[in-house]
Amino acid sequence: MKAIVITTPGGPEVLKLQEVEDPQIKDDEVLIRVEATALNRADTVQRKGSYPTPKGASPYPGLECSGTIESVGKNVSRWKTGDQVCALLSGGGYAEKVAAPAGQVLPVPPGLSLKDAASFPEVACTVWSTIFMTSRLSAGETLLIHGGSSGIGTFAIQIAKYRGSRVFVTAGNEEKLAFCKGIGADVGINYKTEDFVARVKEETEGQGVDVILDCMGASYYQKNLDSLNFDGRLFIIGFQGGVSTEFDLRRLVGKRLTVQGAGLRNRSPENKALIINEVEKNVWPAIAESKVKPVVYKSFPLSEAAEGHRLMESNQHTGKILLIP
């Protein structure tokens, strides 16, 4: 098969389409012929050599895909050859075929194209496992999403609104903020021209938000704590603003705050299967009802993966970027 190979750590130009061996499936895996895969920020970090693949995972990038099952392992009962599915992967999505644990496979939601289904597994599992399963965001509470126009952001806006929350987002220009409002965000904050802490306080009568989903890390840490209400929860999923900071612990204690963090890729297959099960139960109905829609900015042929990475790193996009083998 053909796959995108990271020929050496570096810029987008190191991504090359090459002929490689077909994946061999284990007894609890399925082999998927890939219809589409989606880019994630982690792919760019892996390309630079800073995000090694978990033990036993495919060396090729790609953390999600959609496609048609070509074969199933002997212990797999739910799936059969010919099923149209999407899947959460530990790697290998940038290829014509990929092996996936059966517990990380989802049916394509009704009414959704096979191609667009590739845009959901990573964002749905990330958002559901963080702000819902862990931070326990509930109806009537307020959520602040940093990077509201990203793949994760555009999904989080829709699912949080569907479940009855008031949603605040930050983004870097008025066009992105307008898009976020168009898919349900209640308050848009331009982080380049506004102080998000002051705006959050203004919009919440001085109280702050209940939950924050943060991709920035160190650079926003103190400001995030200042933006939270009593019993607020900060969930960190990225470090685009650095990994190290100093802060005053009294802020945590005084407002009874909780700081949480997690990734998805290095979780155990059992833990991922649990998240997938929750996503199918709680998120898939919202997609089937068209209350949560795919937000796909652009699709590239698999051979143009480098162009996809350049677009992602330019931050000009809104939503997801797909690669099509």
Side-chain angles (χ1 to χ4, degrees), residues 103-314:
Q104 290 167 220
V105 177
L106 286 154
V108 173
L112 199 65
S113 73
L114 184 56
K115 178 181 144 185
D116 282 350
S119 69
F120 277 122
E122 181 76 18
V123 295
C125 290
T126 295
V127 172
W128 191 261
S129 66
T130 54
I131 57 178
F132 293 101
M133 290 173 75
T134 311
S135 295
R136 305 283 177 200
L137 179 70
S138 55
E141 288 194 312
T142 48
L143 168 69
L144 168 62
I145 304 159
H146 291 303
S149 62
S150 67
I152 282 174
T154 52
F155 174 82
I157 291 166
Q158 295 181 83
I159 194 67
K161 287 300 293 181
Y162 174 76
R163 296 188 62 87
S165 291
R166 187 174 180 220
V167 178
F168 294 54
V169 299
T170 62
N173 63 49
E174 297 308 314
E175 193 181 352
K176 287 183 176 184
L177 290 171
F179 186 89
C180 291
K181 286 189 171 180
I183 58 171
D186 298 286
V187 178
I189 305 167
N190 186 331
Y191 67 81
K192 291 180 179 173
T193 60
E194 293 185 85
D195 173 8
F196 73 80
V197 182
R199 185 75 192 282
V200 162
K201 290 289 178 68
E202 181 190 322
E203 296 281 350
T204 59
E205 297 176 347
Q207 291 186 315
V209 295
D210 298 300
V211 176
I212 299 175
L213 183 63
D214 175 54
C215 57
M216 295 304 294
S219 63
Y220 275 17
Y221 191 78
Q222 190 62 61
K223 292 170 78 171
N224 279 333
L225 298 187
D226 292 343
S227 301
L228 284 168
N229 194 359
F230 283 91
D231 299 306
R233 291 86 77 195
L234 166 62
F235 208 110
I236 300 169
I237 56 167
F239 311 107
Q240 291 178 43
V243 297
S244 180
T245 186
E246 280 190 18
F247 67 98
D248 187 338
L249 285 165
R250 289 172 295 188
R251 298 283 172 91
L252 287 177
V253 175
K255 290 204 290 187
R256 304 185 297 273
L257 303 180
T258 304
V259 178
Q260 300 159 321
L264 195 55
R265 187 182 198 180
N266 290 303
R267 292 175 185 249
S268 70
E270 294 77 15
N271 191 257
K272 287 179 183 174
L274 178 74
I275 294 167
I276 285 280
N277 190 41
E278 288 285 311
V279 163
E280 185 172 0
K281 206 163 54 184
N282 295 288
V283 176
W284 255 220
I287 298 172
E289 292 170 34
S290 292
K291 302 293 189 191
V292 174
K293 294 177 180 172
V295 180
V296 176
Y297 182 78
K298 193 168 184 182
S299 299
F300 291 91
L302 183 61
S303 58
E304 294 176 21
E307 285 305 309
H309 276 229
R310 286 187 188 100
L311 174 60
M312 174 164 267
E313 291 178 311
S314 75

Side-chain angles (χ1 to χ4, degrees), residues 310-323:
R310 286 187 188 100
L311 174 60
M312 174 164 267
E313 291 178 311
S314 75
N315 291 322
Q316 297 302 306
H317 66 294
T318 299
K320 297 288 283 188
I321 300 164
L322 302 186
L323 299 177

Side-chain angles (χ1 to χ4, degrees), residues 31-50:
L31 183 66
I32 300 170
R33 175 166 285 280
V34 177
E35 174 80 11
T37 185
L39 271 63
N40 288 280
R41 189 72 58 173
D43 303 344
T44 66
V45 183
Q46 180 179 338
R47 189 200 71 224
K48 293 170 186 169
S50 303

Side-chain angles (χ1 to χ4, degrees), residues 22 30-33 68-72 80-83 97:
D22 280 8
V30 301
L31 183 66
I32 300 170
R33 175 166 285 280
T68 305
I69 292 183
E70 282 207 343
S71 61
V72 301
K80 63 184 188 303
T81 302
D83 284 347
K97 298 178 187 180

